[in-house]
């Protein structure tokens, strides 16, 4: 790793217990790092794809409107949760909205949007919801299989106090 470049950690955040556990894990890790770091929380809004059929598109548009509304509320909850880290670590918030499953959206974003290498991706063990769950499976499995950087998968319970003996 280039000593001038910050150690870059990207965290997939959502309002699930697993998403919050991933955020806590990443913040705790950054507090322990002895090098400059860049912590990025990535919030993803995965919309259904439109088709060439007008009747289906009307239904898709309604479902996507519901997804956008739910995402706005979820984003507020996530930002409230992250506020506990503001005095401890500096971080960036990136929100992306795209069509498709969450895993491919994140992988594409990481590969295309970061000008420096990502050193670690932290993700909770969650699956897509609804039909996307049946087709897409676990987001973490997709990321493990499709990212070239290390991926840390955090279960739904991560307590910062678990690390207290590591000091």
């Amino acid at each position: 790793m280039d000593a001038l470049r910050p150690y870059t950690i990207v965290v997939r955040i959502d309002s699930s217990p697993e998403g919050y556990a991933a955020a806590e894990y990443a913040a705790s890790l950054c507090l322990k790092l002895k090098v400059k770091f860049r912590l990025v929380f990535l919030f993803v809004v995965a919309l259904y794809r439109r088709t060439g059929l007008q009747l289906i598109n009307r239904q898709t548009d309604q479902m996507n409107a519901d997804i956008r509304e739910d995402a706005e509320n979820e984003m507020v909850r996530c930002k409230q949760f992250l506020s506990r880290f503001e005095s401890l670590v500096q971080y960036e918030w990136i929100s992306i909205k795209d069509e498709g499953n969450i895993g491919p959206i994140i992988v594409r974003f990481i590969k295309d949007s970061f000008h420096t290498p990502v050193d670690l991706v932290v993700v909770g063990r969650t699956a897509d919801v609804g039909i996307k769950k049946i087709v897409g499976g676990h987001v973490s499995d997709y990321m493990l299989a499709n990212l070239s950087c290390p991926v840390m998968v955090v279960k739904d319970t991560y307590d910062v106090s678990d690390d207290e003996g590591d000091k």
Side-chain angles (χ1 to χ4, degrees):
M1 185 177 112
D2 178 3
L4 300 176
R5 178 179 75 73
Y7 187 84
T8 302
I9 301 172
V10 176
V11 184
R12 188 273 173 130
I13 181 80
D14 64 15
S15 64
S16 70
E18 296 84 359
Y20 289 161
E24 286 183 325
Y25 177 86
S28 175
L29 177 64
C30 287
L31 288 171
K32 296 174 186 178
L33 288 175
K34 304 290 187 221
V35 297
K36 184 177 174 184
F37 65 86
R38 178 183 180 201
L39 177 59
V40 179
F41 288 104
L42 185 59
F43 183 84
V44 179
V45 181
L47 302 170
Y48 289 101
R49 279 187 170 75
R50 297 195 72 194
T51 68
L53 303 172
Q54 189 174 17
L55 179 64
I56 293 175
N57 281 342
R58 278 188 288 218
Q59 207 169 14
T60 301
D61 290 344
Q62 181 57 50
M63 289 187 303
N64 284 342
D66 293 342
I67 290 170
R68 283 186 191 93
E69 184 178 329
D70 291 345
E72 289 298 322
N73 295 328
E74 184 176 7
M75 207 178 320
V76 168
R77 289 191 304 273
C78 289
K79 287 182 177 182
Q80 287 172 337
F81 178 82
L82 292 178
S83 69
R84 69 183 64 196
F85 305 122
E86 286 176 355
S87 64
L88 301 172
V89 295
Q90 287 188 321
Y91 62 85
E92 300 169 41
W93 172 272
I94 297 176
S95 172
I96 57 173
K97 200 178 298 180
D98 202 351
E99 293 180 342
N101 291 339
I102 293 171
I105 292 171
I106 293 171
V107 168
R108 192 170 47 252
F109 183 81
I110 288 173
K111 288 180 177 179
D112 295 346
S113 300
F114 283 87
H115 302 295
T116 59
V118 171
D119 297 293
L120 177 65
V121 173
V122 181
V123 61
R125 176 108 175 123
T126 58
D128 275 321
V129 294
I131 294 172
K132 290 181 180 182
K133 180 177 182 177
I134 296 167
V135 176
H138 284 280
V139 174
S140 55
D141 290 342
Y142 186 88
M143 293 170 69
L144 283 164
N146 291 281
L147 284 172
S148 58
C149 65
V151 177
M152 172 62 70
V153 180
V154 180
K155 299 212 176 181
D156 67 349
T157 54
Y158 177 77
D159 185 352
V160 178
S161 63
D162 290 345
D163 291 341
E164 303 224 343
D166 296 343
K167 291 181 182 174

